[in-house]
Amino acid sequence: MKSLTINASQRESVGKKATKALRNAGQVPCVIYGGDTIIHFAAPEIAFKNLVYTPDVHTVVIALDNGTTVNAILQDIQFHPVTDKILHIDFIEIFDDKPITMEIPFKTVGNSRGVRNGGVLRYNLRRIKVKGLASKLPDVLEGDISELKIGNKLYVTNLASDDFTILHPDNTVVCMVKTSRTAVDEDEDDEETEGAAEGAEAPAAEA
């Protein structure tokens, strides 16, 4: 999984007045949970651009001004209800030997047969919640839809891996091909394909 580094300053004062002063200075107050101690720090709002405003997921290295670094993942984020400025971010410290829970982006690969015949691909999930070691989690989960006909569904079980556990019921649908007004009857399409194949295999007539 991709990782990015955020240079930050550890906070000594955590009261409302100190927090307001940080925000007025363009800093975002943050907290890291999950370790032996809770760590309060702050960093410029622009430092979080590639972490927050992206569909990708990352692990984060928090490089504190006291020389220490902490590996973490984003847990929660608060935005201003009017300006959408980042008000506060919570992180969870991660360890090499402890599994973490994350939502991994999902994307399809392949060219669905049902879509070629006029069906419409519908997504039920854009992100899949999984649990595993950070070093084993992928940047994206891919699902092959090449064989999906109209009415067929892709389930989370089709995305299973030994590297992580999917935290959705097995019958959870990730995406499906729905019919449309322009859809072709796939039974007829099968017959045409088989007929063309038989014609190609038929021996040439003798002169």
Side-chain angles (χ1 to χ4, degrees):
M1 179 175 290
K2 298 175 184 176
S3 179
L4 57 85
T5 299
I6 293 177
N7 296 311
S9 302
Q10 192 159 357
R11 299 167 58 197
E12 300 299 333
S13 301
V14 295
K16 291 183 178 180
K17 185 179 291 185
T19 298
K20 184 177 181 180
L22 281 173
R23 290 174 179 149
N24 289 340
Q27 300 277 314
V28 177
C30 305
V31 179
I32 304 175
Y33 298 100
D36 294 331
T37 59
I38 297 175
I39 301 173
H40 298 267
F41 72 92
E45 185 173 8
I46 194 172
F48 301 100
K49 177 182 178 182
N50 293 331
L51 175 65
V52 176
Y53 303 107
T54 174
D56 300 329
V57 292
H58 301 83
T59 56
V60 185
V61 177
I62 307 297
L64 299 171
D65 55 356
N66 61 6
T68 62
T69 59
V70 182
N71 294 318
I73 58 170
L74 191 153
Q75 176 72 11
D76 189 39
I77 185 168
Q78 298 175 19
F79 295 94
H80 191 282
V82 177
T83 64
D84 278 339
K85 289 179 66 67
I86 301 173
L87 295 179
H88 190 274
I89 301 178
D90 290 342
F91 291 88
I92 295 292
E93 187 172 357
I94 59 176
F95 303 90
D96 292 339
D97 59 344
K98 291 184 179 181
I100 60 174
T101 298
M102 293 193 73
E103 290 189 343
I104 307 296
F106 166 75
K107 78 171 185 178
T108 59
V109 294
N111 188 0
S112 165
R113 179 176 176 180
V115 172
R116 292 199 306 270
N117 286 331
V120 179
L121 183 66
R122 301 291 189 190
Y123 290 86
N124 284 29
L125 294 176
R126 293 285 186 173
R127 287 176 174 259
I128 312 297
K129 184 178 288 188
V130 303
K131 184 176 183 179
L133 297 177
S135 60
K136 296 286 188 178
L137 297 183
D139 296 324
V140 64
L141 286 175
E142 296 183 343
D144 188 353
I145 61 171
S146 301
E147 299 302 317
L148 290 189
K149 298 180 181 180
I150 293 173
N152 288 170
K153 302 173 182 178
L154 186 78
Y155 295 90
V156 290
T157 50
N158 299 117
L159 310 178
S161 170
D162 293 335
D163 291 335
F164 52 81
T165 301
I166 296 178
L167 302 180
H168 296 273
D170 289 349
N171 62 350
T172 301
V173 176
V174 183
C175 64
M176 66 179 297
V177 180
K178 301 191 71 174
T179 190
S180 69
R181 292 182 179 179
T182 59
V184 174
D185 188 320
E186 292 189 337
D187 290 335
E188 294 180 3
D189 185 58
D190 285 337
E191 292 173 1
E192 290 177 4
T193 302
E194 291 171 1
E198 290 173 358
E201 294 172 359
E206 295 183 0

